[in-house]
């Protein structure tokens, strides 16, 4: 009954409003906990890594993440399959610094909640800068994760066809911007996901109200009770499209992805649970690979849409994502991955993969090992 | 009359309460704006820099701050006195990325307000990593500024003489700390200055209450209404002391500083307007130098107390601070500076200086120039 209720369009739309999210916090809910799904994840390919004999295997601390689709269990599986030493690492406790001494590498994040991200950004920065540890994701990628403004700034240098975005931290500048916008536009909070806090602004009057509130002494309320939108606005042009968001995911030379249908009567697809798995056009997957040449993340998730003018536009991108199945790409009935060949051609290969396995492998091979080699080179003079 | 009321002890204490700060926002107050005091700052020594003729001088973009006694006018004075091309750079406006093309170096912070620091943290990170610009303070230094947790982590990493600090991001762990710590202890929020959000916790009961609130869904209210203390606690041991905070400000091999008397009947000195300018003890300067060896900031502000057992114990440090006069150090009524010799000896030298000018000079010589000339082997974080 509850599931059917939750599937109603009107309910789905309501769930994405800031007001609903705030009210929901006053009602009973389970405290965030760790799920162990290791018994349920064996139906995917085993990812192997060829570890060079001249380099010692690192001691790895895994930060457990909250929620029903954990990353940490996949990391455990990958490390066990490859004979790499690991322990679960409680990074939240007061003795996290003493315990960090046991590891060479720390991996994982707790959640995408703002307070957790703020905690980890500082801790990973301290670990990397003052303790000489390597972290996955790195501080730079954690800074980018769930920061929509930074995504937009970086898109300027990446050369992505990012939808035109108007961000201002100055009230009078913001008021000038909204005079020139072509409505409707999409308004977003910096730190949110799954369409929460994303709204369509139909006219200048509404935009002005948003600016006034965001630059007021108290700021503008968001989906969080403990953090408000203060001293900035984020408006993105609304691009008429074919009714789907397309998510392209790349890690190393493998590409995945799927479609998410826009909710009927709405303009949002993210977080609406309307996934369609089918083959992707080449162009968006190649765009994601191109972008990752600059962003240099072990995994990159690019959300885009197909405009009515036939072009693909990027809405958002992220160096981290949550996955709930080892089938992140399905062509016909076959799960698999697109492989980017050395010559630049792209082909489909069957297989079921936990994305986190591949991403961790990518981190170790292309980030950790070169770092250790460079260190060895320096110490050898 | 108003000034006399503001100087009353009771009013001073009241103003440092979080409830007062939040209530105050409901009453009329002037909008923050940048002040130009260029006409009044000419009575300080001119700080000179020897710039190598073969290296082009950087084009500097100065960000205007919103302080009553601003920094930006001192930066501009220094740059103009030394023939650096400089201009005001509006970093808040929507076209800040396009405008960044006209500068090599961006200097200054807007204010120490959370929303402004978050803006600058992200923008400086982008300028440095994506546009290869230099910023002073650097993105890493902005991350450290007003971030008490990170200060404590770094202090621990290097075994600095920092007051014992217990930080936890997990409720059960925080409750365990509250159960076994010696009282009273000092509770602080991560981001605040001038004693705001700093309180003495006398009993485990009070500490547990604080923990429960901080780890509640809403978090714990603080001095500003747009963000709350969420999912962390910061407890620092209370160090019985001689009733003064000592502030040592280091810039290169120069040291400045003063005392701040603890308000009668209170335990806090910062932000109470109780400054006493007199000679600093050598041990205090040496303790600050120990911090600087790890933090390596062009300017470092170290706050410490002189414990009753004779130790100098650091309670906080910062990469920047407000200065309202060119006489931050006075010895027997004579303004000046301590100069630290290559052999470690410390001598007093007369003079009136705007410390911001020395700090920018230090940044240019020890960070900007080595990077430009490729001698950045010992680059700072």
């Amino acid at each position: 009954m509850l599931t059917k209720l939750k599937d109603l369009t009107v309910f789905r739309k309501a769930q994405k409003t800031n007001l609903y999210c705030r009210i929901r916090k006053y009602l009973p809910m389970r405290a965030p906990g760790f799920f162990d799904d290791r018994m349920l994840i064996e139906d995917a390919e085993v990812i192997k890594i060829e570890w060079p004999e001249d380099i010692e295997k690192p001691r790895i601390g895994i930060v457990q993440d909250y929620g029903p689709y954990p990353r940490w269990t996949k990391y455990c599986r990958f490390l066990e399959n490859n004979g790499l030493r690991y322990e679960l690492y409680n990074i939240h406790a007061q003795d996290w610094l003493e315990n960090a001494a046991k590891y060479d590498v720390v991996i994982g994040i707790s959640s995408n909640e703002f307070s957790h991200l703020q905690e980890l950004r500082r801790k990973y920065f301290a670990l990397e800068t003052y303790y000489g540890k390597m972290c996955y994701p790195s501080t730079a990628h954690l800074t980018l994760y769930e920061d929509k403004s930074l995504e937009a700034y970086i898109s300027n240098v990446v050369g992505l066809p990012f939808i035109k975005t108007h961000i201002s931290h100055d009230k009078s500048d913001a008021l000038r911007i909204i005079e020139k916008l072509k409505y409707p536009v999409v308004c977003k909070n910096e730190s949110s996901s799954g369409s929460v806090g994303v709204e369509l602004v139909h006219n200048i009057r509404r935009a002005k109200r948003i600016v006034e509130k965001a630059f007021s002494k108290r700021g503008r309320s968001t989906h969080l009770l403990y953090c408000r939108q203060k001293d900035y606005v984020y408006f993105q042009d609304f691009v008429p499209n074919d009714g789907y968001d397309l998510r392209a995911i790349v890690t190393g030379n493998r590409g995945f992805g799927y479609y998410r249908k826009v909710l009927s009567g709405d303009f949002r697809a993210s977080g609406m649970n309307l996934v369609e798995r089918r083959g992707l056009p080449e162009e968006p997957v190649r765009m994601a690979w191109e972008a990752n040449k600059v962003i240099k993340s072990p995994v990159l998730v690019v959300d885009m849409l197909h405009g009515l003018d036939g072009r693909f536009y990027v809405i958002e991108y992220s160096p981290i994502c949550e996955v709930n199945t080892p089938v992140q790409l399905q062509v016909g009935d076959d799960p698999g991955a697109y492989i980017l060949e050395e010559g630049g051609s792209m082909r489909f290969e069957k297989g079921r993969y936990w994305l986190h396995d591949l991403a961790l492998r990518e981190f170790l091979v292309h980030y950790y090992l070169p770092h250790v080699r460079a260190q060895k080179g320096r110490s050898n003079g | 009359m108003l000034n006399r009321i503001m100087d009353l002890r009771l009013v001073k204490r009241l103003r440092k309460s979080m409830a007062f700060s939040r209530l105050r926002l409901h009453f009329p107050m002037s909008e923050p704006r940048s002040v130009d005091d260029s006409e009044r700052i000419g009575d300080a020594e001119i700080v000179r820099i020897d710039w190598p003729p073969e290296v082009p001088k950087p084009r500097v973009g100065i960000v205007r701050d919103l302080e009553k006694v601003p920094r930006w006018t001192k930066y501009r004075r220094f740059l103009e006195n030394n023939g650096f091309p400089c201009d005001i750079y509006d970093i808040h406006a929507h076209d800040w990325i396009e405008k960044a093309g006209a500068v090599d170096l961006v200097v200054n912070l807007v204010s120490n307000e959370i929303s402004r620091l978050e803006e600058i943290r992200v923008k400086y990170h982008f300028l440095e990593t994506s546009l290869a610009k230099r910023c002073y303070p650097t993105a890493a230094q902005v991350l450290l500024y007003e971030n008490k947790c990170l200060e404590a982590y770094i202090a621990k990493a290097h075994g600095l003489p920092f007051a014992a600090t217990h930080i936890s991001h997990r409720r059960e762990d925080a409750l365990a700390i509250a159960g076994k710590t010696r009282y009273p202890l000092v509770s602080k929020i991560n981001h605040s200055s001038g004693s705001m959000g700093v309180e003495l916790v006398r009993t485990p009961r009070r500490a547990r209450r604080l923990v429960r609130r901080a780890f509640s869904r809403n978090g714990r209210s603080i001095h500003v209404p747009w963000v709350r203390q969420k999912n962390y606690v910061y407890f620092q041991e209370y160090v019985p002391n001689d009733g003064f905070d000592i502030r040592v400000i280091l810039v290169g091999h120069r040291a400045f500083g003063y005392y701040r008397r603890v308000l009668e009947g209170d335990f806090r000195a910062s932000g109470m307007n109780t400054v006493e300018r007199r000679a600093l003890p050598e041990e205090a300067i040496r303790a600050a130098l120990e911090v600087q060896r790890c933090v390596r900031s062009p300017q470092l502000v170290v706050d410490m107390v002189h414990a009753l057992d004779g130790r100098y114990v650091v309670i906080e440090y910062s990469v920047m601070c407000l200065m309202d006069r060119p006489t931050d150090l006075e010895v027997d009524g004579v303004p000046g500076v301590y100069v630290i010799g290559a052999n470690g000896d410390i001598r007093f030298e007369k003079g009136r200086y705007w410390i911001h000018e020395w700090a920018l000079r230090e940044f240019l010589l020890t960070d900007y120039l080595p990077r430009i000339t490729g001698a950045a082997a010992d680059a700072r974080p």
Side-chain angles (χ1 to χ4, degrees):
Chain A
M1 176 66 181
L2 188 66
T3 314
K4 282 179 84 174
L5 200 67
K6 281 185 166 178
D7 268 352
L8 289 176
T9 303
V10 64
F11 194 77
R12 282 185 178 169
K13 284 176 80 167
Q15 271 190 316
K16 301 299 172 190
T17 61
N18 287 333
L19 183 64
Y20 171 88
C21 293
R22 288 199 307 276
I23 292 174
R24 181 68 188 86
K25 293 265 192 299
Y26 289 103
L27 304 177
M29 55 165 71
R30 216 182 298 157
F34 301 125
F35 285 74
D36 189 347
D37 62 353
R38 277 179 279 190
M39 305 299 279
L40 311 167
I41 60 175
E42 288 305 326
D43 60 340
E45 315 288 330
V46 170
I47 304 297
K48 285 285 185 186
I49 187 168
E50 277 179 35
W51 199 264
E53 281 177 9
D54 60 322
I55 294 180
E56 200 184 339
K57 287 181 176 176
R59 297 160 302 162
I60 298 175
I62 298 179
V63 175
Q64 285 177 289
D65 48 320
Y66 300 108
Y69 308 115
R71 281 176 281 264
W72 68 270
T73 50
K74 286 80 182 181
Y75 294 147
C76 291
R77 175 182 184 258
F78 171 81
L79 296 172
E80 280 167 17
N81 284 335
N82 287 284
L84 288 154
R85 296 166 291 170
Y86 75 88
E87 273 178 31
L88 297 180
Y89 171 38
N90 181 1
I91 200 163
H92 309 294
Q94 62 147 339
D95 55 357
W96 71 279
L97 272 177
E98 290 87 334
N99 289 336
K102 292 190 280 185
Y103 313 116
D104 305 302
V105 174
V106 175
I107 60 174
I109 61 165
S110 323
S111 80
N112 64 352
E113 184 162 341
F114 182 67
S115 63
H116 289 145
L117 282 178
Q118 289 291 73
E119 174 197 352
L120 280 201
R121 281 175 187 146
R122 277 132 185 85
K123 287 185 172 173
Y124 278 16
F125 172 78
L127 286 174
E128 287 180 351
T129 314
Y130 296 96
Y131 283 75
K133 309 287 177 192
M134 272 198 92
C135 301
Y136 169 62
S138 66
T139 308
H141 290 136
L142 262 183
T143 304
L144 174 60
Y145 180 51
E146 299 286 18
D147 191 319
K148 294 188 173 54
S149 297
L150 186 54
E151 286 173 34
Y153 304 150
I154 292 176
S155 70
N156 281 283
V157 289
V158 172
L160 274 175
F162 200 81
I163 299 177
K164 197 162 171 49
T165 302
H166 316 269
I167 303 165
S168 183
H169 290 76
D170 179 272
K171 187 180 175 186
S172 43
D173 181 62
L175 287 171
R176 276 195 300 274
I177 287 175
I178 60 171
E179 297 279 345
K180 295 182 204 153
L181 293 180
K182 208 171 96 183
Y183 293 89
V185 291
V186 180
C187 171
K188 300 184 182 183
N189 297 331
E190 250 166 27
S191 177
S192 69
S193 59
S195 290
V196 170
V198 175
E199 61 180 294
L200 204 60
V201 177
H202 290 278
N203 52 49
I204 188 169
R205 201 173 139 207
R206 173 78 189 132
K208 197 171 172 189
R209 198 176 144 84
I210 289 171
V211 171
E212 293 289 351
K213 285 206 167 180
F215 288 93
S216 68
K217 285 183 210 162
R218 292 173 53 79
R220 180 175 174 251
S221 61
T222 65
H223 61 296
L224 298 170
L225 287 168
Y226 61 89
C227 183
R228 297 167 73 92
Q229 179 180 351
K230 178 86 170 95
D231 290 340
Y232 76 89
V233 284
Y234 179 114
F235 294 117
Q236 193 172 59
D237 286 355
F238 174 73
V239 177
N241 58 76
D242 61 5
Y244 286 91
D245 272 17
L246 187 156
R247 169 165 282 189
I249 307 167
V250 293
T251 172
N253 69 339
R254 283 185 167 83
F256 304 85
Y258 48 83
Y259 289 83
R260 294 184 294 185
K261 196 163 184 285
V262 168
L263 195 68
S264 139
D266 203 288
F267 70 105
R268 295 166 297 187
S270 172
M272 298 297 185
N273 207 14
L274 297 169
V275 171
E276 287 186 18
R277 295 185 197 279
R278 50 190 158 96
L280 301 180
E282 247 187 69
E283 191 185 343
V285 188
R286 285 189 186 279
M287 272 162 52
W289 269 313
E290 278 305 307
N292 208 22
K293 282 182 186 167
V294 180
I295 294 162
K296 296 187 173 69
S297 173
V299 62
L300 185 71
V301 182
V302 185
D303 289 340
M304 47 192 111
L305 50 81
H306 194 203
L308 294 182
D309 58 3
R311 295 171 58 196
F312 288 98
Y313 293 90
V314 174
I315 318 166
E316 286 179 16
Y317 57 91
S318 168
I320 299 164
C321 77
E322 189 179 79
V323 297
N324 57 4
T325 159
V327 182
Q328 289 301 308
L329 171 70
Q330 190 170 320
V331 178
D333 290 333
D334 296 323
Y338 292 119
I339 309 289
L340 182 68
E341 302 284 12
E342 288 210 345
S345 62
M346 215 172 108
R347 66 178 168 83
F348 177 75
E349 191 178 272
K350 284 187 199 176
R352 296 163 62 87
Y353 305 99
W354 282 110
L355 198 61
H356 307 307
D357 285 5
L358 293 168
L360 184 51
R361 181 184 181 280
E362 185 67 15
F363 164 76
L364 289 168
V365 172
H366 290 111
Y367 299 85
Y368 179 76
L369 283 175
H371 172 78
V372 173
R373 283 214 170 90
Q375 266 188 337
K376 275 180 104 174
R378 273 198 296 274
S379 61
N380 292 340
Chain B
M1 176 65 180
L2 188 65
N3 282 348
R4 285 180 67 180
I5 293 175
M6 299 274 251
D7 260 352
L8 288 176
R9 222 170 45 226
L10 186 69
V11 176
K12 278 185 177 172
R13 290 181 68 174
L14 187 67
R15 290 180 67 197
K16 297 300 169 190
S17 72
M18 300 208 256
F20 175 87
S21 304
R22 287 197 307 277
L23 273 175
R24 178 69 187 84
L25 289 178
H26 292 283
F27 293 95
M29 53 168 68
S30 56
E31 286 289 313
R33 60 186 179 83
S34 66
V35 174
D36 187 351
D37 64 351
S38 307
E39 299 288 310
R40 301 189 295 275
I41 61 173
D43 61 340
E45 319 284 332
I46 288 175
V47 175
R48 293 280 178 200
I49 186 170
D50 280 328
W51 195 259
E54 69 278 12
V55 180
K57 286 181 174 170
R59 299 162 300 163
V60 184
I62 304 172
V63 174
R64 274 199 281 218
D65 52 275
L66 303 172
E67 311 298 352
K68 282 183 190 152
V69 187
R71 284 179 291 264
W72 69 271
T73 49
K74 286 79 183 183
Y75 293 140
R76 188 172 67 180
R77 177 180 185 258
F78 169 79
L79 293 167
E80 285 176 353
N81 282 336
N82 288 284
F84 284 83
C86 65
D87 209 345
I88 300 300
Y89 174 47
D90 183 0
I91 199 161
H92 309 297
H94 69 283
D95 56 355
W96 70 280
I97 294 179
E98 292 86 325
K99 297 265 170 69
V103 300
D104 305 302
L105 168 64
V106 177
V107 300
N108 207 5
L109 291 175
V110 183
S111 81
N112 61 356
E113 211 177 83
I114 304 171
S115 60
R116 291 299 177 193
L117 275 179
E118 281 295 298
E119 174 198 353
I120 294 294
R121 183 179 64 77
V122 169
K123 288 183 171 174
Y124 280 14
H125 170 79
F126 171 76
L127 285 170
E128 288 180 358
T129 56
S130 296
L131 297 186
K133 306 288 177 190
R134 292 304 301 157
C135 302
Y136 171 65
T138 64
Q141 287 155 4
V142 180
L143 192 66
L144 176 58
Y145 181 54
E146 298 285 12
N147 190 329
K148 293 188 176 53
C149 292
L150 190 50
E151 285 172 34
Y153 302 152
I154 295 169
K156 197 162 194 174
H158 294 280
L160 297 176
F162 198 81
T165 301
H166 314 279
I167 302 166
S168 182
H169 288 76
R170 181 163 281 178
R171 188 175 185 268
E172 297 72 28
D173 183 62
L175 286 170
I177 293 172
K180 61 184 179 198
T181 310
R182 211 171 63 192
Y183 289 83
L185 47 83
V186 181
S187 164
K188 299 184 181 182
I189 53 172
N190 195 16
H191 182 118
S192 72
S193 59
S195 291
M196 205 61 87
V198 176
E199 57 191 295
L200 204 61
V201 177
R202 292 174 199 280
T203 62
R205 195 173 152 206
R206 172 82 189 122
R208 280 197 296 271
R209 190 179 145 91
L210 205 151
V211 170
R212 278 196 294 271
R213 289 205 166 177
F215 287 91
S216 67
R217 285 188 209 160
N218 299 2
R220 179 172 174 255
S221 63
I222 60 167
H223 61 294
V224 291
W226 64 87
V227 68
R228 296 166 74 94
Q229 179 180 357
K230 174 84 171 126
N231 287 349
Y232 76 91
V233 286
Y234 180 115
F235 294 130
Q236 191 172 64
E237 71 164 333
Y238 172 72
V239 182
N241 59 75
D242 62 4
F244 287 92
D245 275 15
I246 302 172
R247 168 163 283 189
V248 180
I249 306 164
L250 294 173
V251 182
H253 60 280
R254 288 176 176 79
F256 305 81
Y258 46 83
Y259 289 78
R260 294 183 293 186
R261 192 162 34 81
V262 168
L263 200 66
E264 204 179 311
D266 204 292
F267 70 105
R268 296 167 297 187
S270 173
M272 297 297 185
N273 206 14
T274 51
V275 171
E276 288 185 17
R277 294 181 201 280
R278 51 188 159 97
L280 300 179
E282 197 178 310
E283 299 97 300
I285 298 173
R286 298 210 183 278
L289 284 168
E290 205 179 323
V291 180
Q292 177 64 317
R293 270 193 287 277
C294 309
V295 180
R296 294 185 298 162
S297 170
Q299 176 186 338
L300 186 72
V301 184
V302 185
D303 290 341
M304 58 189 94
V305 291
H306 190 201
L308 294 182
D309 60 7
R311 291 176 304 141
Y312 286 89
V313 182
V314 176
I315 47 175
E316 282 179 23
Y317 58 89
S318 170
V319 296
M320 209 169 247
C321 72
L322 294 180
M323 284 149 199
D324 60 0
R325 66 191 66 202
T327 54
D328 266 305
L329 171 70
E330 281 182 30
V331 176
D332 300 328
V334 180
V337 55
Y338 289 115
V339 180
I340 302 147
N343 57 356
D345 65 314
I346 298 172
R347 65 186 163 78
F348 178 75
E349 207 174 83
K350 281 187 205 174
R352 296 164 62 86
Y353 303 103
W354 284 108
I355 297 176
H356 307 305
E357 298 193 49
W358 282 116
L360 183 52
R361 177 184 181 277
E362 183 70 13
F363 170 79
L364 287 165
L365 290 177
T366 62
D367 188 304
Y368 184 84
L369 259 184
R371 283 179 201 267
I372 291 295
T373 55
D378 192 32
R380 296 188 166 93

